[in-house]
Amino acid sequence: MSTAAPDAGRQTGAPRPSSPQIVRVSVPQRSMRSELRAIKIVWRRELIRYFKDRLRMATTLVQPLLFLFVLGSGLQRLSSAGTHGVDLKTFIYPGILCIAVMFTAMFSAASIVWDREFGFLREMMVAPIRRSSIVIGKCLGGATVAGFQGVIVICLAGVVHVPTTR
Protein backbone atom coordinates (compact mmCIF):
# COMPACT_ATOMS: atom_id res chain seq x y z
CA MET A 1 0.00 0.00 0.00
CA SER A 2 1.09 3.43 -0.81
CA THR A 3 0.84 6.09 1.80
CA ALA A 4 1.48 8.96 -0.61
CA ALA A 5 -0.82 11.92 -0.53
CA PRO A 6 -3.44 12.07 -3.27
CA ASP A 7 -1.78 15.14 -4.83
CA ALA A 8 1.73 13.69 -4.72
CA GLY A 9 1.85 12.99 -8.46
CA ARG A 10 0.53 16.40 -9.41
CA GLN A 11 2.80 19.23 -10.31
CA THR A 12 2.94 22.09 -7.94
CA GLY A 13 0.98 25.15 -8.97
CA ALA A 14 -1.42 23.24 -11.24
CA PRO A 15 -5.03 24.33 -10.84
CA ARG A 16 -7.26 21.97 -9.01
CA PRO A 17 -10.34 20.80 -10.94
CA SER A 18 -13.44 22.40 -9.54
CA SER A 19 -16.50 20.37 -8.80
CA PRO A 20 -18.93 20.22 -11.72
CA GLN A 21 -21.62 22.83 -11.53
CA ILE A 22 -25.20 21.79 -11.97
CA VAL A 23 -27.22 23.84 -14.40
CA ARG A 24 -30.92 23.75 -13.75
CA VAL A 25 -33.22 24.00 -16.73
CA SER A 26 -36.87 24.68 -16.22
CA VAL A 27 -39.28 23.50 -18.87
CA PRO A 28 -42.74 25.02 -18.69
CA GLN A 29 -45.69 22.73 -18.23
CA ARG A 30 -47.41 21.61 -21.38
CA SER A 31 -50.73 23.27 -21.88
CA MET A 32 -53.27 23.63 -24.64
CA ARG A 33 -52.10 27.21 -25.10
CA SER A 34 -48.49 26.17 -25.71
CA GLU A 35 -49.56 23.47 -28.17
CA LEU A 36 -51.75 25.92 -30.11
CA ARG A 37 -48.88 28.39 -30.16
CA ALA A 38 -46.58 25.72 -31.58
CA ILE A 39 -49.15 24.84 -34.25
CA LYS A 40 -49.46 28.51 -35.17
CA ILE A 41 -45.69 28.95 -35.42
CA VAL A 42 -45.23 25.93 -37.71
CA TRP A 43 -48.24 27.01 -39.82
CA ARG A 44 -46.88 30.53 -40.11
CA ARG A 45 -43.44 29.26 -41.10
CA GLU A 46 -44.99 27.28 -43.97
CA LEU A 47 -46.79 30.38 -45.22
CA ILE A 48 -43.65 32.51 -44.98
CA ARG A 49 -41.63 29.92 -46.88
CA TYR A 50 -44.25 29.81 -49.65
CA PHE A 51 -44.56 33.57 -50.07
CA LYS A 52 -40.77 34.10 -50.03
CA ASP A 53 -40.23 31.57 -52.85
CA ARG A 54 -41.38 33.53 -55.91
CA LEU A 55 -40.26 30.84 -58.33
CA ARG A 56 -42.41 28.23 -56.58
CA MET A 57 -45.40 30.56 -56.67
CA ALA A 58 -44.94 31.24 -60.38
CA THR A 59 -44.47 27.62 -61.40
CA THR A 60 -47.50 26.44 -59.44
CA LEU A 61 -49.58 29.04 -61.27
CA VAL A 62 -48.14 28.37 -64.71
CA GLN A 63 -48.73 24.61 -64.60
CA PRO A 64 -52.57 24.73 -64.56
CA LEU A 65 -52.65 27.44 -67.21
CA LEU A 66 -50.31 25.42 -69.40
CA PHE A 67 -52.57 22.37 -69.08
CA LEU A 68 -55.60 24.48 -69.99
CA PHE A 69 -54.01 26.09 -73.01
CA VAL A 70 -52.20 23.02 -74.36
CA LEU A 71 -54.80 20.38 -73.59
CA GLY A 72 -57.86 22.59 -73.83
CA SER A 73 -57.00 24.23 -77.11
CA GLY A 74 -54.97 21.48 -78.73
CA LEU A 75 -57.36 18.60 -78.15
CA GLN A 76 -60.64 20.47 -78.66
CA ARG A 77 -61.33 19.07 -82.12
CA LEU A 78 -60.42 15.52 -81.18
CA SER A 79 -62.68 15.37 -78.15
CA SER A 80 -65.84 17.17 -79.25
CA ALA A 81 -67.79 13.91 -79.49
CA GLY A 82 -66.69 12.66 -76.04
CA THR A 83 -67.66 15.79 -74.09
CA HIS A 84 -71.24 15.95 -75.47
CA GLY A 85 -70.84 19.44 -76.90
CA VAL A 86 -69.21 20.98 -73.82
CA ASP A 87 -66.07 23.00 -74.47
CA LEU A 88 -63.02 20.91 -73.53
CA LYS A 89 -61.55 23.70 -71.37
CA THR A 90 -64.75 23.77 -69.34
CA PHE A 91 -64.78 19.98 -69.18
CA ILE A 92 -61.20 19.54 -67.89
CA TYR A 93 -61.05 22.64 -65.67
CA PRO A 94 -62.25 20.91 -62.44
CA GLY A 95 -59.65 18.18 -62.91
CA ILE A 96 -56.88 20.68 -63.51
CA LEU A 97 -57.99 22.60 -60.42
CA CYS A 98 -57.77 19.39 -58.36
CA ILE A 99 -54.36 18.55 -59.79
CA ALA A 100 -53.04 22.02 -58.95
CA VAL A 101 -54.28 21.83 -55.36
CA MET A 102 -53.05 18.25 -54.83
CA PHE A 103 -49.58 18.93 -56.24
CA THR A 104 -49.22 21.98 -54.04
CA ALA A 105 -50.27 19.99 -50.98
CA MET A 106 -47.89 17.13 -51.82
CA PHE A 107 -44.94 19.44 -52.35
CA SER A 108 -45.75 21.13 -49.08
CA ALA A 109 -45.64 17.74 -47.35
CA ALA A 110 -42.32 16.99 -49.06
CA SER A 111 -40.84 20.03 -47.32
CA ILE A 112 -40.36 17.80 -44.27
CA VAL A 113 -37.46 16.20 -46.16
CA TRP A 114 -35.83 19.61 -46.62
CA ASP A 115 -36.40 20.44 -42.95
CA ARG A 116 -34.64 17.21 -42.03
CA GLU A 117 -31.81 17.84 -44.46
CA PHE A 118 -31.03 21.28 -43.07
CA GLY A 119 -31.50 20.40 -39.40
CA PHE A 120 -34.64 22.39 -38.70
CA LEU A 121 -36.71 19.26 -38.07
CA ARG A 122 -34.31 18.25 -35.30
CA GLU A 123 -34.79 21.63 -33.66
CA MET A 124 -38.55 21.23 -33.79
CA MET A 125 -38.39 17.70 -32.39
CA VAL A 126 -36.51 18.76 -29.25
CA ALA A 127 -38.97 21.52 -28.46
CA PRO A 128 -41.10 20.85 -25.38
CA ILE A 129 -44.26 20.26 -27.40
CA ARG A 130 -46.09 17.24 -28.69
CA ARG A 131 -44.97 15.93 -32.04
CA SER A 132 -48.56 15.94 -33.15
CA SER A 133 -48.51 19.74 -32.87
CA ILE A 134 -45.71 19.84 -35.43
CA VAL A 135 -47.64 17.53 -37.75
CA ILE A 136 -50.86 19.52 -37.37
CA GLY A 137 -49.01 22.78 -38.05
CA LYS A 138 -47.37 21.34 -41.18
CA CYS A 139 -50.71 19.98 -42.42
CA LEU A 140 -52.52 23.25 -41.81
CA GLY A 141 -49.72 25.16 -43.52
CA GLY A 142 -49.85 22.89 -46.56
CA ALA A 143 -53.65 23.05 -46.68
CA THR A 144 -53.61 26.85 -46.47
CA VAL A 145 -51.05 27.16 -49.26
CA ALA A 146 -52.97 24.65 -51.41
CA GLY A 147 -56.25 26.45 -50.72
CA PHE A 148 -54.68 29.77 -51.66
CA GLN A 149 -53.41 28.19 -54.85
CA GLY A 150 -56.88 26.81 -55.63
CA VAL A 151 -58.51 30.21 -55.13
CA ILE A 152 -56.03 31.77 -57.56
CA VAL A 153 -56.73 29.08 -60.17
CA ILE A 154 -60.48 29.62 -59.75
CA CYS A 155 -60.00 33.38 -60.17
CA LEU A 156 -58.06 32.74 -63.40
CA ALA A 157 -60.99 30.83 -64.91
CA GLY A 158 -62.24 33.94 -66.68
CA VAL A 159 -58.83 34.59 -68.23
CA VAL A 160 -58.95 31.25 -70.06
CA HIS A 161 -62.65 31.65 -70.91
CA VAL A 162 -64.01 28.98 -68.60
CA PRO A 163 -67.49 29.87 -67.32
CA THR A 164 -67.89 29.50 -63.55
CA THR A 165 -71.71 29.52 -63.62
CA ARG A 166 -74.18 27.48 -65.59
Side-chain angles (χ1 to χ4, degrees), residues 27 29 31-32 35 37 59 64 70 73 84 94 105 117 126 137 139 141 146 149 162 165:
V27 177
Q29 288 287 333
S31 66
M32 182 58 80
E35 297 300 323
R37 183 173 180 262
T59 56
V70 172
S73 300
H84 302 290
E117 184 76 24
V126 298
C139 289
Q149 180 75 29
V162 173
T165 59

Side-chain angles (χ1 to χ4, degrees), residues 78-99:
L78 295 174
S79 65
S80 60
T83 60
H84 302 290
V86 177
D87 184 36
L88 185 66
K89 287 182 190 177
T90 306
F91 186 77
I92 65 172
Y93 189 76
I96 290 174
L97 175 65
C98 291
I99 287 172

Side-chain angles (χ1 to χ4, degrees), residues 59-124:
T59 56
T60 54
L61 288 175
V62 168
Q63 179 194 12
L65 295 175
L66 185 67
F67 280 146
L68 278 172
F69 283 122
V70 172
L71 294 177
S73 300
L75 300 177
Q76 178 64 41
R77 291 188 183 166
L78 295 174
S79 65
S80 60
T83 60
H84 302 290
V86 177
D87 184 36
L88 185 66
K89 287 182 190 177
T90 306
F91 186 77
I92 65 172
Y93 189 76
I96 290 174
L97 175 65
C98 291
I99 287 172
V101 170
M102 292 299 293
F103 276 149
T104 304
M106 285 189 301
F107 287 135
S108 181
S111 71
I112 293 174
V113 174
W114 288 104
D115 288 344
R116 183 175 181 225
E117 184 76 24
F118 294 113
F120 186 75
L121 185 64
R122 183 179 306 142
E123 292 177 15
M124 287 193 300

Side-chain angles (χ1 to χ4, degrees), residues 6-7 10 13-19:
D7 292 333
R10 184 176 290 180
R16 198 165 228 220
S18 62
S19 63

